[in-house]
Amino acid sequence: LDAYYSRLHLSDISNLAPILQLLKLDAANFTMPYKHSAYQISNSCDEPSLETTACNTILFGEKIKGYNTDFKGFEHIADRLALTEDSKVLLIGAGNTAITVLKVLSKFKCKVDIINRNISNIYKLQNFYNNINKVNNLNISKNYDLIINTSPNLDFIAEIINQIEATSIVDFNYTNPTLYKAVKAYENYIGGLELLILQALHSFSIFSENIFGRKDVFAGTTAKEIIASMENKAARKKNIALVGFTGVGKSFISKILSQSLNMKYYSIDDIIEAKAGKSIKEIFYLYGESRFREYESEVIQEIQGANNLIIDTGAGICQNIDNIKLLKNIAFNIFIISDIENVWNRVDKASKPVVANMNFNDFNSLYFHRLNNYFKCSDMIFYNNYRIEDSASQLKEQLVSYLC
């Protein structure tokens, strides 16, 4: 499919509207804690979304359409487990994912024990399913047919979870799964990665059918096949590169990150000036933009195999498809975005040869002309609309997780 898929770091749901304007997305997936917010911005929703007041899949167009493919993914698992009304279930956590779980379980009419750090959230769940029983560390059972974890951590039940046995366990946590280590004994384990991929198969089927008119993209594909194919593709890149339009803060953020992450700052523009013995403006004036783009490609090729770099790229580096391939080969690429009007007002246009003689409309058009290539290069998208120090701190948290 002629499409790109990337990850957007969203720190504040109030930023969603300007971010959508900057990215011109056709579709998106939402993770916790934004699934209820996705439901709220949707103009129309599928039935599971309406029942759970949560969406994880959105199609943008004249109207925003919301879907809950978590429902479909877990429904597949529940059917496989052959639950009955006599099945004894423990549900850990009481957030939006728990609502989806309860809606699926309701068709089996089984009784559900729920334990959560915040007791008040459990009462809210009774609006969605009344066959539930609130339990705590003192009155929890020691044996279940099924334990389902929807909580990001198990600290609040650490004292008792290792005393419980289960026939099956299902853990929605795919970033740090610990349920399989904590439960005393079990026969069947279904992890968060499989659940993630099951819902993704439904999400991408919605994308491919509605955007491209393709209904056969995932015919016959199973989650386990996809997991097996991922095993050799998980190597972490040893460098970090920042890409994006002029004036979005790449250089400032790169320098702060290089110090805080103990990585070497590497400016492609600085290296080009050293190679040419001339400033960027002089290179453009004497040789033109095409020669400058050649310099960019040469510099990226020279650092293939390098390690521990924070790479500060030029604003036009992604215009060349070969540069994108080279950057993807050596670095985890972060596409920095910022409100175009703010960028226009703060950037020193006289020092930027490409935009020096532009008006705002031309400046804005140039950004959207380059948008697809920025997106294609990105492994993560980061919205910089704060103080540079705050943005760098937020980004550092994400990169520490990635690098470690």
Side-chain angles (χ1 to χ4, degrees):
L1 299 177
D2 181 19
Y4 316 125
Y5 189 66
S6 189
R7 174 191 168 200
L8 169 66
H9 171 64
L10 184 62
S11 58
D12 186 343
I13 194 65
S14 66
N15 292 326
L16 184 59
I19 288 173
L20 295 180
Q21 178 63 28
L22 283 165
L23 293 179
K24 303 291 186 187
L25 298 177
D26 292 298
N29 293 127
F30 286 76
T31 60
M32 295 183 290
Y34 299 117
K35 295 178 183 180
H36 183 65
S37 298
Y39 170 78
Q40 290 179 312
I41 68 169
S42 300
N43 301 121
S44 64
C45 297
D46 66 352
E47 187 174 340
S49 299
L50 293 171
E51 291 181 338
T52 60
T53 70
C55 295
N56 71 323
T57 300
I58 293 287
L59 285 175
F60 299 103
E62 291 184 13
K63 291 187 175 181
I64 300 175
K65 298 179 181 179
Y67 303 83
N68 185 338
T69 65
D70 287 330
F71 185 97
K72 292 286 188 182
F74 181 65
E75 187 177 47
H76 177 88
I77 295 295
D79 288 340
R80 202 164 84 195
L81 294 173
L83 298 171
T84 70
E85 60 183 284
D86 295 322
S87 298
K88 193 175 177 184
V89 179
L90 172 66
L91 176 59
I92 304 170
N96 281 331
T97 303
I99 297 172
T100 297
V101 167
L102 288 173
K103 276 297 176 183
V104 173
L105 294 179
S106 66
K107 77 175 186 178
F108 301 99
K109 300 180 180 179
C110 47
K111 186 176 180 180
V112 181
D113 287 352
I114 299 183
I115 188 167
N116 189 54
R117 190 189 308 272
N118 186 340
I119 296 174
S120 63
N121 283 6
I122 295 177
Y123 295 124
K124 295 177 185 177
L125 295 183
Q126 291 175 330
N127 296 324
F128 298 90
Y129 188 48
N130 57 17
N131 197 16
I132 60 178
N133 177 45
K134 176 174 65 68
V135 297
N136 56 41
N137 288 8
L138 298 176
N139 64 1
I140 195 168
S141 174
K142 295 299 185 285
N143 188 280
Y144 287 95
D145 296 302
L146 172 63
I147 300 176
I148 305 166
N149 177 43
T150 66
S151 179
N153 68 69
L154 302 173
D155 293 346
F156 67 100
I157 55 169
E159 294 178 2
I160 51 95
I161 190 67
N162 59 5
Q163 302 170 29
I164 301 174
E165 297 182 2
T167 304
S168 300
I169 62 174
V170 174
D171 193 351
F172 275 83
N173 191 335
Y174 58 88
T175 57
N176 185 30
T178 56
L179 186 64
Y180 73 98
K181 298 177 183 177
V183 175
K184 182 179 180 180
Y186 59 89
E187 298 175 15
N188 183 33
Y189 171 72
I190 298 166
L193 183 57
E194 184 173 351
L195 284 159
L196 179 72
I197 291 173
L198 281 169
Q199 65 80 27
L201 284 169
H202 289 288
S203 289
F204 277 83
S205 293
I206 290 169
F207 296 160
S208 59
E209 181 175 350
N210 285 273
I211 299 172
F212 298 96
R214 290 276 302 277
K215 296 184 178 182
D216 59 341
V217 174
F218 296 106
T221 306
T222 67
K224 290 185 177 179
E225 288 172 339
I226 294 174
I227 291 171
S229 73
M230 291 168 63
E231 290 178 354
N232 296 322
K233 298 180 181 179
R236 287 176 174 82
K237 306 292 175 59
K238 297 178 180 178
N239 305 295
I240 305 293
L242 273 63
V243 302
F245 198 48
T246 187
V248 295
K250 298 187 300 295
S251 296
F252 286 111
I253 294 174
S254 294
K255 289 173 182 176
I256 295 172
L257 288 175
S258 71
Q259 294 179 347
S260 61
L261 294 172
N262 196 28
M263 299 176 73
K264 182 181 178 182
Y265 172 72
Y266 189 94
S267 166
I268 287 180
D269 282 356
D270 288 352
I271 300 299
I272 290 173
E273 288 185 333
K275 283 173 66 74
K278 294 177 175 59
S279 70
I280 301 297
K281 286 183 69 174
E282 289 174 326
I283 296 171
F284 269 77
Y285 178 76
L286 293 171
Y287 310 122
E289 183 176 357
S290 61
R291 179 61 185 117
F292 177 76
R293 299 304 171 200
E294 290 174 2
Y295 273 125
E296 283 184 322
S297 297
E298 291 169 11
V299 170
I300 302 175
Q301 288 171 343
E302 288 170 3
I303 58 174
Q304 298 295 300
N307 297 322
N308 206 43
L309 301 181
I310 294 286
I311 305 169
D312 176 14
T313 70
I317 200 162
C318 293
Q319 288 182 261
N320 184 329
I321 196 70
D322 291 331
N323 287 350
I324 293 175
K325 292 177 182 177
L326 290 168
L327 283 171
K328 295 284 278 187
N329 184 53
I330 64 168
F332 183 80
N333 295 285
I334 302 166
F335 172 24
I336 306 290
I337 58 174
S338 190
D339 294 332
I340 298 299
E341 286 192 12
N342 290 343
V343 172
W344 170 257
N345 290 328
R346 70 175 176 242
V347 72
D348 178 12
K349 291 175 279 295
S351 67
K352 310 286 185 182
V354 173
V355 302
N357 299 313
M358 286 185 176
N359 58 34
F360 175 73
N361 288 337
D362 293 336
F363 188 80
N364 189 57
S365 295
L366 180 62
Y367 165 74
F368 285 108
H369 174 72
R370 293 177 174 179
L371 175 58
N372 274 357
N373 279 9
Y374 288 141
F375 200 103
K376 185 174 185 179
C377 188
S378 70
D379 296 297
M380 186 172 82
I381 302 166
F382 184 85
Y383 181 55
N384 173 29
N385 202 37
Y386 308 95
R387 291 173 57 249
I388 289 291
E389 291 79 5
D390 293 338
S391 292
S393 177
Q394 281 190 27
L395 195 48
K396 177 192 172 183
E397 290 181 14
Q398 297 295 309
L399 292 176
V400 166
S401 176
Y402 173 78
L403 292 168
C404 296

